[in-house]
């Protein structure tokens, strides 16, 4: 398949692996964080860790929007959905995320009208079809999906759809990366920057990582050779004594981002003073809410939302996994009590969750298949 097969070529992968190994200084360990959950799945689906020398360690970051949603926000959405006049709409990967009072599927089974949609425009269509009901869209995601929510709200206002609103849980990636860099729990040598988010925000917002924290960042694509090439670029920077922001995914990511999408975001959404992230706690200016011009479409203003904080189950260590402090298989309940069929934490639910990646692709141990990189 064109534009896919050439990024999955085994010979090129082995050549890149050899180049990566040659760049490693004897005795030095390199720790790189893949910020995006999509990168985590590529790494373990294609066994890319087995192409890397033991000196190169990859740790997971908080770039899975479903995984970072705290349990209290799930409960808030369920509280809205239980109102008899409400139809709550949500992306499918949120349906099984556990809150303190069950999941969306549990609430649906108990009688709440919760419907899965593929786009916020689907929720808008449901609002048109049900003028006597209040239709709420559970908006989640980083800057990648926020523009589609913003455009939908603009359209709802233009059409005068008074029965449509958004429960906004969009988060932004830069404050989360800064929180990790400021954390004493983690010592990193560089970052594989998130490709999807960068298609919207571009590469310029990451400059502070290189200039202030002196860590290189390479915006990476999602195919196996993209990941290996990006790791090679990080090692090249470290070998040259450079700390820069580079764009490996230039076939998709413009340096200045998507200007049109950024203008729509600025019109409809603005930063919240603070927002709670699972595993990272409260981070200032790290999430979005509707601007005053679109306040009539804000579900948090339209309905009485409990806003109660809910602690994660004591057995769940999603927070440590999201910070890259633990590997999924180091969690006490990974693969036993916590599986994709019976998830305890969000990292096992989401298609981008690190625990789901490890479970689905058989990473239950530390051992690598070193013969792959040796070939």
């Amino acid at each position: 398949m064109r534009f896919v097969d050439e990024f999955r070529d085994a010979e090129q992968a082995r050549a890149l692996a050899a180049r990566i190994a040659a760049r490693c200084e004897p005795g030095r360990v390199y720790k790189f964080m893949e910020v995006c959950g999509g990168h985590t799945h590529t790494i373990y689906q294609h066994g890319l860790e087995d192409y890397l020398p033991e000196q190169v360690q990859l740790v997971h970051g908080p770039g899975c929007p479903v995984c970072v949603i705290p349990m209290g926000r799930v409960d808030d959405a369920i509280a809205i959905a239980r109102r008899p006049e409400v139809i709550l709409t949500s992306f499918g990967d949120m349906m099984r995320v556990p809150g303190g009072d069950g999941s969306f599927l549990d609430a649906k089974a108990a009688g709440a009208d919760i419907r899965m949609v593929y786009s916020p425009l689907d929720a808008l269509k449901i609002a048109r079809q049900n003028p006597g009901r209040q239709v709420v869209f559970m908006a989640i995601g980083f800057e990648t999906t926020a523009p589609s929510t913003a455009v939908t709200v603009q359209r709802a206002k233009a059409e005068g759809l008074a029965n449509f609103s958004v429960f906004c849980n969009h988060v932004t990636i830069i404050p989360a990366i800064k929180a990790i860099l400021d954390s004493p729990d983690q010592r990193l040598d560089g970052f594989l920057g998130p490709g999807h988010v960068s298609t919207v925000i571009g590469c310029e917002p990451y400059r502070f990582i290189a200039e202030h924290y002196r860590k290189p960042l390479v915006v990476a694509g999602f195919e196996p050779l993209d990941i290996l090439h990006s790791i090679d670029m990080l090692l090249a920077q470290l070998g040259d004594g450079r700390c820069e922001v580079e764009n490996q995914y230039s076939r998709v990511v413009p340096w200045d981002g998507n200007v049109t999408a950024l203008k729509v975001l600025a019109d409809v959404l603005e930063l919240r003073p603070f927002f709670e992230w699972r595993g990272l706690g409260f981070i200032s200016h790290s999430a979005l809410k509707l601007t005053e011009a679109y306040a009539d479409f804000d579900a948090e203003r339209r309905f009485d939302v409990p806003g109660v904080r809910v602690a994660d189950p004591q057995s769940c260590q999603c927070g440590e996994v999201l910070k890259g402090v633990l590997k999924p298989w180091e969690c006490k309940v990974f693969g036993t009590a916590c599986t994709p069929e019976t998830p305890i934490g969000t990292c096992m639910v989401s298609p981008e969750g690190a625990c789901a990646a490890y479970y689905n692709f058989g990473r239950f141990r530390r051992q690598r298949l070193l013969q792959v990189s040796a070939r």
Side-chain angles (χ1 to χ4, degrees), residues 175-176 179 272-277 280-287:
R272 294 175 182 265
F274 56 87
F275 191 78
E276 184 184 5
W277 291 56
L280 298 176
F282 284 93
I283 304 176
S284 61
H285 301 106
S286 65

Side-chain angles (χ1 to χ4, degrees), residues 77-94:
I78 290 174
I80 295 173
R82 284 176 174 157
R83 298 174 68 99
E85 76 274 19
V86 168
I87 300 172
L88 181 71
T89 58
S90 170
F91 293 141
D93 52 1
M94 276 297 301

Side-chain angles (χ1 to χ4, degrees), residues 156-214:
K157 185 174 183 178
E159 295 182 17
L161 279 176
N163 68 323
F164 176 80
S165 60
V166 169
F167 183 50
C168 191
N169 295 275
H170 286 298
V171 290
T172 58
I173 195 64
I174 296 299
I177 295 176
K178 186 178 185 302
I180 286 171
L181 285 165
D182 290 336
S183 171
D185 296 333
Q186 192 62 272
R187 292 291 179 265
L188 300 169
D189 294 289
F191 290 88
L192 296 175
H196 292 148
V197 166
S198 301
T199 62
V200 176
I201 69 172
C203 302
E204 193 65 28
Y206 305 116
R207 188 180 294 276
F208 80 98
I209 298 171
E211 293 181 351
H212 180 70
Y213 291 94
R214 305 302 299 164

Side-chain angles (χ1 to χ4, degrees), residues 61-175:
C64 164
V66 171
C67 301
V68 301
I69 293 293
M71 297 179 74
R73 296 295 286 185
V74 177
D75 287 354
D76 287 344
I78 290 174
I80 295 173
R82 284 176 174 157
R83 298 174 68 99
E85 76 274 19
V86 168
I87 300 172
L88 181 71
T89 58
S90 170
F91 293 141
D93 52 1
M94 276 297 301
M95 296 297 286
R96 293 190 302 118
V97 173
D101 196 21
S103 67
F104 286 0
L105 284 180
D106 294 329
K108 182 179 176 68
D113 194 345
I114 302 178
R115 307 182 190 183
M116 187 180 75
V117 294
Y118 293 97
S119 161
L121 291 174
D122 292 342
L124 203 64
K125 182 179 179 181
I126 293 171
R128 295 191 197 101
Q129 294 170 342
N130 296 270
R133 304 283 299 279
Q134 289 288 326
V135 178
V136 180
F137 175 63
M138 173 77 174
I140 65 162
F142 287 95
E143 292 94 336
T144 315
T145 55
S148 61
T149 299
V151 167
T152 302
V153 173
Q154 285 181 331
R155 186 170 296 184
K157 185 174 183 178
E159 295 182 17
L161 279 176
N163 68 323
F164 176 80
S165 60
V166 169
F167 183 50
C168 191
N169 295 275
H170 286 298
V171 290
T172 58
I173 195 64
I174 296 299

Side-chain angles (χ1 to χ4, degrees), residues 40-74:
T40 303
H41 275 252
T42 296
I43 290 164
Y44 294 104
Q45 180 180 0
H46 297 278
L48 296 187
E49 258 200 341
D50 299 333
Y51 281 83
L52 302 175
E54 286 277 6
Q55 291 170 262
V56 177
Q57 299 178 2
L58 301 177
V59 297
H60 329 296
C64 164
V66 171
C67 301
V68 301
I69 293 293
M71 297 179 74
R73 296 295 286 185
V74 177

Side-chain angles (χ1 to χ4, degrees), residues 311-370:
D312 290 341
Q314 290 186 349
S315 59
C316 176
Q317 295 180 281
C318 275
E320 287 77 9
V321 171
L322 287 167
K323 290 187 290 187
V325 175
L326 291 182
K327 293 284 190 179
W329 46 262
E330 294 176 300
C331 175
K332 299 185 290 289
V333 294
F334 172 77
T336 54
C338 185
T339 68
E341 290 74 30
T342 57
I344 294 175
T346 54
C347 295
M348 189 61 89
V349 177
S350 171
E352 292 188 356
C355 296
Y358 271 62
Y359 187 92
N360 290 330
F361 303 119
R363 295 290 167 157
F364 293 96
R365 62 193 188 282
R366 181 189 301 272
Q367 182 181 358
R368 292 189 189 179
L369 301 177
L370 296 179

